[in-house]
Amino acid sequence: MNKRAPTALVADDEPLLRQALSRMLAATWPELVIVAEARNGREAIDRFEEHHPDICFLDVQMPGKTGVDAAQHIGRRAHMVFVTAYDKYAVQAFAHGVLDYLVKPVEVARLAETVARLQERLRAAQPALNTDELLQQLAASLSRQSAGQMRWVRASVGQTVRMIAIEDIDYLRADEKYTQVAWRDDGGQAREAIIRTPLKELLAQLDPAEFAQVHRSVVVNLRAISHVTRGANETADVHLKGRPEVLPVSRTYLHLFRQM
């Protein structure tokens, strides 16, 4: 009798990152069948109930229901691997809970280690590690990590002061003593403003799952990226959705787009 191939669900609200992880899994674990993909936690739950995969790769930060919300619904019916853009300090939340996780950008070696653990658990028919208690601890820990993230910036636009929602910002660029804020108004029109807060200080308060530093003077909203083109000398350019500006990616940050 042929043994059934293991199955998986991949959930990430960024299509490029979702596709990149699927390609890496195909290369690292050819026998694994990805039966469904999802763009958010709600879809992840629906796709799980439809396909009942053995493993779920869940992005932690997704709009609406998060990856942790989806995992709490699924419970121990599948093995979970959380994918996170959080830095090494926030990742302690995962390590303490003994839950499997991958850090963006996903590295091949780290993925191979995770795959080996999953293969062993499936061979031994071990139960999933994601108990209600562990998932509740993880949700609480990540909530504390994100508590200090800003939601608005106060910026000068001509002679007026505007309150700009963080999710409306396309990118931030350091400009001598100021920071340029490129954002979109309620009608979706591209706008620019100036604030006095240094870029470094702003970056510390932004959600790393939403914003990435791509140059010492540039931070970009990942949702605003249309595509990235590789350049000479280990550099690249970020092209934005609906904006003519092209943002530089320095060699230091090129690794963010190697799997894209």
Side-chain angles (χ1 to χ4, degrees), residues 14 170 184 222-227 239-243:
E14 288 294 334
D170 288 333
R184 295 178 187 272
L222 295 173
R223 296 178 189 275
I225 296 176
S226 168
H227 61 282
H239 300 260
L240 303 168
K241 299 173 184 174
R243 299 191 80 110

Side-chain angles (χ1 to χ4, degrees), residues 6 45 52 59 61 69-70 80 82 90 129 139 146 171-172 174 176 184-185 199 223 227 235 238:
I45 291 172
H52 300 285
D59 182 21
Q61 293 294 100
D69 292 332
M80 301 292 173
F82 293 99
L129 298 174
S146 63
Y171 69 88
L172 301 161
E176 296 183 353
R184 295 178 187 272
D185 61 21
L199 184 65
R223 296 178 189 275
H227 61 282
T235 61
V238 168

Side-chain angles (χ1 to χ4, degrees), residues 93-128:
F94 296 91
H96 180 71
V98 203
L99 292 166
D100 271 312
Y101 65 92
L102 297 167
V103 178
K104 298 179 182 179
V106 177
E107 297 179 352
V108 174
R110 172 70 185 182
L111 179 60
E113 293 174 0
T114 299
V115 164
R117 283 194 297 272
L118 291 168
Q119 290 172 331
E120 179 56 34
R121 288 173 191 156
L122 291 175
R123 277 195 297 268
Q126 294 177 357

Side-chain angles (χ1 to χ4, degrees), residues 154-241:
R154 184 181 290 108
S156 298
V157 181
Q159 299 300 311
T160 64
V161 175
R162 294 291 299 263
M163 295 295 292
I164 302 173
I166 292 299
E167 58 265 28
D168 293 335
I169 295 174
D170 288 333
Y171 69 88
L172 301 161
R173 192 196 312 250
D175 184 10
E176 296 183 353
K177 296 180 181 180
Y178 303 95
T179 299
Q180 175 192 4
V181 181
W183 59 290
R184 295 178 187 272
D185 61 21
D186 293 340
Q189 294 297 310
R191 304 286 298 275
E192 294 182 2
I194 295 295
I195 58 177
R196 295 180 179 272
T197 310
L199 184 65
K200 183 177 180 180
E201 184 177 328
L202 289 168
L203 181 61
Q205 301 177 71
L206 294 172
D207 186 348
E210 302 287 340
F211 288 84
Q213 186 167 18
V214 297
H215 187 276
R216 62 182 177 82
S217 63
V218 178
V219 171
V220 65
N221 186 337
L222 295 173
R223 296 178 189 275
I225 296 176
S226 168
H227 61 282
V228 179
T229 56
R230 298 290 291 271
N233 301 319
E234 289 294 306
T235 61
D237 292 320
V238 168
H239 300 260
L240 303 168
K241 299 173 184 174

Side-chain angles (χ1 to χ4, degrees), residues 144 200 242 258:
R144 289 193 298 271
K200 183 177 180 180
R258 285 212 170 106

